[in-house]
Amino acid sequence: MAEAHQAVAFQFTVTPDGVDFRLSREALKHIYLSGINSWKKRLIRIKNGILRGVYPGSPTSWLVVVMATVGSSYCKVDISMGLVCYIQRCLPEGCGPYQTPQTRALLSMVVFSTGVWMTGIFFFRQTLKLLLSYHGWMFEMHGQTSHFTKVWAICVRLLSSRRPMLYSFQTSLPKLPVPCVPATIQRYLESVRPLLDDAEYYRMETLAKDFQEKTAPRLQKYLVLKSWWATNYVSDWWEEYVYLRSRAPLVVNSNYYVMDFVLIQNTNIQAARLGNIVHAMILYRRKLDREEIKPVMAQGIVPMCSYQMERMFNTTRIPGKESDLLQHLSDSRHVAVYHKGRFFKVWLYEGSQLLKPCDLEMQFQKILDDPSPPQPGEEKLAALTAGGRTEWAQARQAFFSSGKNKAALDAIERAAFFVALDEESPHYDPEDEASLSLYGKALLHGNCYNRWFDKSFTIIAFKNGQLGLNTEHAWADAPIIGHLWEFVLGTDTFHLGYTETGHCLGKPNPMLMAPQRLHWDIPEQCRAIIESSYQVAKALADDVELYCFQFLPFGKGLIKKCRTSPDAFVQIALQLAHFRDRGKFCLTYEASMTRMFREGRTETVRSCTSESTAFVQAMVEGSHMKADLQDLFRKASKKHQNMYRLAMTGCGIDRHLFCLYLVSKYLGVSSPFLAEVLSEPWRLSTSQTAQFQIRMFDPDKYPKHLGAGGGFGPVADDGYGVSYMIAGENTIFFHISSKFSSSETNAQRFGNHIRQALLDIADLFQVLQADS
């Protein structure tokens, strides 16, 4: 058969005269084309490196400067003020290219022009970095932009007007500043004041003052030194100590999920939907490699750091006994696929050509139709990635470091990403409240052995054509995967499309190499470890209560009528809901980004403030006038927005304290204050899901094309995890997680409190009545 012929690059036989090798022409052709493709990529990267390296200049601008210098020379005008003559004298004399005065003069003018051009680029970059260090625009009221900010915006636009590549702004982004210790301490004490009684607050204030005066100055000096030397004083430590050194299972504790479009369905054919999606993902990867993706710009002016996107594909978290590491390959030409307990390797290219969606559909359908059973120990193998990290590292070293197990594991870990073909069919039915929660549970952990939790992301394709992602967190934050997902869903729906019967467009190539089954030799001892990891992960998964719902009464359209930011509105509603649910306030985490700085990731907004608690208490008491409640709400909203801006501009609390704590550990310095701060549990952990980072379609024209965002597990055993997406003008999606083992929490109960809190605040401003 053609497939078998293509699958083997060479064959050999042993004869009395020696070994006879017979090379396959078809396989050699694919190897040759693959090499050509690899060299094309290298050339593209070299070209991109040059264009990115001289941004905002260009080779054309260099030529203009050279022509201007040469032209002025012919006009007897020395714009170099004698520098060209000096360079000409410094050129070595002799034969070759320097033999004529004309050549020497031309070469000296080129050298001078290049120096002027490079100096100009350096000047423009430093000027742009200085301009991007200004963040006053964020603190100005909407519609009240100062003249200074207007001039600043014009300057930024002029310096970045040339079409940028994905990483063009990286060297122009400012470094994340180290806040001064007194400011951080003051903001910290302010954040915990509503959570502590007078005696507790006085104790904490005393600890903070002692730390600020005695210990902090020494720690701060080391941190400032690191900020001068390193690109970002937080990100490498954050990745290592928060993610890679954690020994807890990834499932529920770290990985998060992302949902598909939930109100429409392009096709119900599993293999067809996956064919389009995988093809779209590799198109995105090609754009990523060529740096053709536009940088994300805040307000269309300020560039966001793009470094996290580098490890989106071809990346796997490798377990270690004490610390994991992220393995990133420059390229990968296949995906690893799991179906009914079997693992497969599917090539994405034929030679140098990316497989068409219809070809990928055919390959995935072959896997779905394959009746072969799992090998002994294979079915639950991926549970190793769901259990404890140390146990997985030990098993990997003992059983997967040689032979066929190593080869099969390499095929998974070196894949572009992982694909799970599920037999279940979860979906969102607006008439069935539980359906969205069941869909979320399937994405968050599945059955604990049908996801490879170590991969940068796993695509989950359900039997009904519904999709989703399970994403590892160490390599990047949610907005990065959201950027990819928006592109993929938009490309699938508006560019690739399907036939009337729901299949991918085009005619597949029947001569393609069939998916390759991965082979394992898993001994009994290893199977026992797999089962142990599975039981650990299953206990975690079974303990998660997930409640997802679509809030339909209003979205950001009505919220704006309250003259506040939608995020502040929801965060204050969460405070009100939590107080009604638990009868008390708690330390609240809201993730914000610091990507306006080079290699920035996240910062914490402590959204339980004195202002928000004052509003909540007034609402619960029920004796205040509506005007007073409105005033308290506006104060709480203004405070929240200011804190969010401070976090985004590098003036947050928690990353600074986290780094000071690490320095204290490196120096062997004991700090009761830092130890207490870092041990405080986040009983309410929240995050807003970014959307419409890529404008691939008009949401007003296609209101049903809404993803439901995604979610994550609870951070504290007796706390809640809340993710929400303000999905356009008229709806909000919520994902709420808690643990069944906690008698104090109940995700559905908290969700009902959130619903009521949103309605009560909207009613306070009478926006519901006004709209109706």
Side-chain angles (χ1 to χ4, degrees), residues 1-11 22-33 345 347 349-353 355 359 362-363 366 508-516:
M1 292 175 65
E3 296 151 342
H5 181 67
Q6 286 179 294
V8 183
F10 63 86
Q11 301 167 352
R22 289 176 291 160
L23 297 176
S24 161
R25 263 187 230 169
E26 190 65 27
L28 286 176
K29 173 188 169 186
H30 285 294
I31 292 170
Y32 168 75
L33 291 174
K345 180 178 181 179
W347 293 102
Y349 295 84
E350 184 189 17
S352 60
Q353 296 298 313
L355 294 186
D359 292 327
M362 177 184 71
Q363 299 292 69
K366 286 179 180 178
N509 177 8
M511 305 297 288
L512 287 175
M513 185 193 316
Q516 177 185 339

Side-chain angles (χ1 to χ4, degrees), residues 268-275 337 339 342 344 346 357-371 421 423 463 503 515:
N268 59 5
I269 300 175
Q270 186 178 17
R273 185 80 198 290
L274 190 56
V337 182
H339 177 245
R342 297 92 42 85
F344 296 84
V346 176
C358 57
D359 292 327
L360 290 167
E361 177 188 354
M362 177 184 71
Q363 299 292 69
F364 294 129
Q365 192 60 51
K366 286 179 180 178
I367 294 174
L368 292 170
D369 296 339
D370 187 330
L421 289 164
E423 289 296 295
K463 202 169 185 67
H503 292 278

Side-chain angles (χ1 to χ4, degrees), residues 463-617:
K463 202 169 185 67
N464 58 356
Q466 199 79 35
L467 295 176
L469 299 177
N470 183 285
T471 306
E472 202 278 320
H473 210 325
W475 63 274
D477 301 308
I480 304 301
I481 203 73
H483 194 280
L484 162 71
W485 199 230
E486 283 185 32
F487 174 88
V488 166
L489 293 182
T491 302
D492 168 46
T493 304
F494 297 101
H495 297 283
L496 298 178
Y498 299 88
T499 65
E500 292 182 359
T501 55
H503 292 278
C504 295
L505 299 172
K507 186 176 180 181
N509 177 8
M511 305 297 288
L512 287 175
M513 185 193 316
Q516 177 185 339
R517 179 78 185 272
L518 302 185
H519 296 285
W520 310 89
D521 182 10
I522 302 174
E524 285 292 340
Q525 188 179 355
C526 183
R527 291 180 215 171
I529 297 171
I530 292 171
E531 183 62 28
S532 175
S533 293
Y534 168 66
Q535 293 301 330
V536 168
K538 187 175 185 299
L540 279 170
D542 289 346
D543 196 26
V544 173
E545 180 187 9
L546 188 67
Y547 179 57
C548 308
F549 67 93
Q550 182 182 11
F551 181 78
L552 288 167
F554 58 85
K556 67 180 179 183
L558 284 178
I559 292 174
K560 288 178 180 177
K561 293 183 180 180
C562 301
R563 290 182 294 174
T564 186
S565 81
D567 182 65
F569 187 98
V570 174
Q571 283 292 326
I572 296 169
L574 289 175
Q575 291 300 314
L576 177 58
H578 187 273
F579 190 82
R580 287 171 172 174
D581 184 78
R582 300 286 297 274
K584 60 183 178 181
F585 298 105
C586 71
L587 197 61
T588 305
Y589 182 111
E590 183 190 6
S592 75
M593 65 178 181
T594 55
R595 288 174 59 203
M596 289 193 295
F597 301 97
R598 192 170 180 183
E599 295 189 12
R601 288 196 62 161
T602 60
E603 178 57 275
T604 304
V605 179
R606 294 174 166 240
S607 49
C608 180
T609 63
S610 296
E611 290 80 359
S612 65
T613 56
F615 167 75
V616 169
Q617 286 169 338

Side-chain angles (χ1 to χ4, degrees), residues 7 67 135 195 235 266 348 372 515 600 641-642 724:
M67 292 176 66
H135 301 119
L195 305 173
S235 292
N266 295 322
L348 298 168
S372 60
Q641 291 178 71
N642 187 61
Y724 54 95

Side-chain angles (χ1 to χ4, degrees), residues 183-473:
T184 297
I185 296 296
Q186 180 188 347
R187 292 190 188 111
Y188 170 78
L189 290 173
E190 191 179 326
S191 74
V192 297
R193 185 65 188 95
L195 305 173
L196 305 175
D197 60 31
D198 291 342
E200 291 171 329
Y201 180 74
Y202 176 75
R203 186 184 66 85
M204 184 56 74
E205 193 177 35
T206 304
L207 285 174
K209 185 178 180 181
D210 184 69
F211 169 75
Q212 181 178 329
E213 293 176 353
K214 297 178 181 178
T215 312
R218 182 185 175 197
L219 305 182
Q220 180 78 348
K221 286 177 185 176
Y222 283 95
L223 211 52
V224 170
L225 181 63
K226 186 193 176 187
S227 73
W228 291 345
W229 177 253
T231 308
N232 188 294
Y233 83 93
V234 176
S235 292
D236 58 337
W237 283 350
W238 186 254
E239 180 178 299
E240 180 180 357
Y241 289 97
V242 171
Y243 295 114
L244 298 181
R245 289 212 179 191
S246 171
R247 302 294 82 202
L250 299 184
V251 65
V252 176
N253 294 316
S254 181
N255 285 29
Y256 58 94
Y257 66 87
V258 185
M259 287 185 171
D260 196 357
F261 285 147
V262 292
L263 302 179
I264 62 158
Q265 193 165 3
N266 295 322
T267 179
N268 59 5
I269 300 175
Q270 186 178 17
R273 185 80 198 290
L274 190 56
N276 262 8
I277 291 294
V278 169
H279 182 83
M281 282 191 160
I282 302 305
L283 290 179
Y284 184 93
R285 186 179 71 169
R286 186 161 65 187
K287 285 180 172 288
L288 199 62
D289 290 341
R290 296 177 179 179
E291 301 182 33
E292 295 172 351
I293 297 169
K294 293 180 181 178
V296 176
M297 312 283 279
Q299 301 295 318
I301 300 174
V302 179
M304 300 285 104
C305 179
S306 302
Y307 100 99
Q308 293 182 60
M309 303 175 85
E310 294 175 356
R311 299 181 295 185
M312 187 178 294
F313 295 92
N314 328 321
T315 297
T316 302
R317 180 166 171 163
I318 304 297
K321 291 182 180 179
E322 295 181 358
S323 178
D324 295 353
L325 62 88
L326 289 172
Q327 172 185 279
H328 173 68
L329 307 175
S330 61
D331 192 22
S332 179
R333 299 174 61 80
H334 72 276
V335 292
V337 182
Y338 179 91
H339 177 245
K340 283 189 174 181
R342 297 92 42 85
F343 291 87
F344 296 84
K345 180 178 181 179
V346 176
W347 293 102
L348 298 168
Y349 295 84
E350 184 189 17
S352 60
Q353 296 298 313
L354 172 62
L355 294 186
K356 297 179 293 184
C358 57
D359 292 327
L360 290 167
E361 177 188 354
M362 177 184 71
Q363 299 292 69
F364 294 129
Q365 192 60 51
K366 286 179 180 178
I367 294 174
L368 292 170
D369 296 339
D370 187 330
S372 60
Q375 300 157 76
E378 181 183 19
E379 183 178 15
K380 294 183 179 179
L381 175 64
L384 289 170
T385 69
R389 303 306 294 169
T390 302
E391 292 78 5
W392 172 206
Q394 292 169 342
R396 188 177 187 275
Q397 185 176 8
F399 304 107
F400 299 91
S401 57
S402 63
K404 63 171 68 173
N405 286 351
K406 184 180 187 303
L409 182 62
D410 280 349
I412 295 172
E413 292 182 339
R414 300 175 71 86
F417 47 86
F418 194 78
V419 176
L421 289 164
D422 280 17
E423 289 296 295
E424 292 74 31
S425 298
H427 67 288
Y428 175 43
D429 179 1
E431 302 298 320
D432 179 7
E433 185 180 73
S435 61
L436 195 62
S437 304
L438 293 172
Y439 177 26
K441 285 274 281 183
L443 295 175
L444 180 62
H445 51 68
N447 62 17
C448 298
Y449 57 79
N450 57 355
R451 318 275 182 259
W452 198 268
F453 293 100
D454 284 355
K455 288 301 290 183
S456 54
F457 62 88
T458 295
I459 303 179
I460 299 132
F462 297 106
K463 202 169 185 67
N464 58 356
Q466 199 79 35
L467 295 176
L469 299 177
N470 183 285
T471 306
E472 202 278 320
H473 210 325

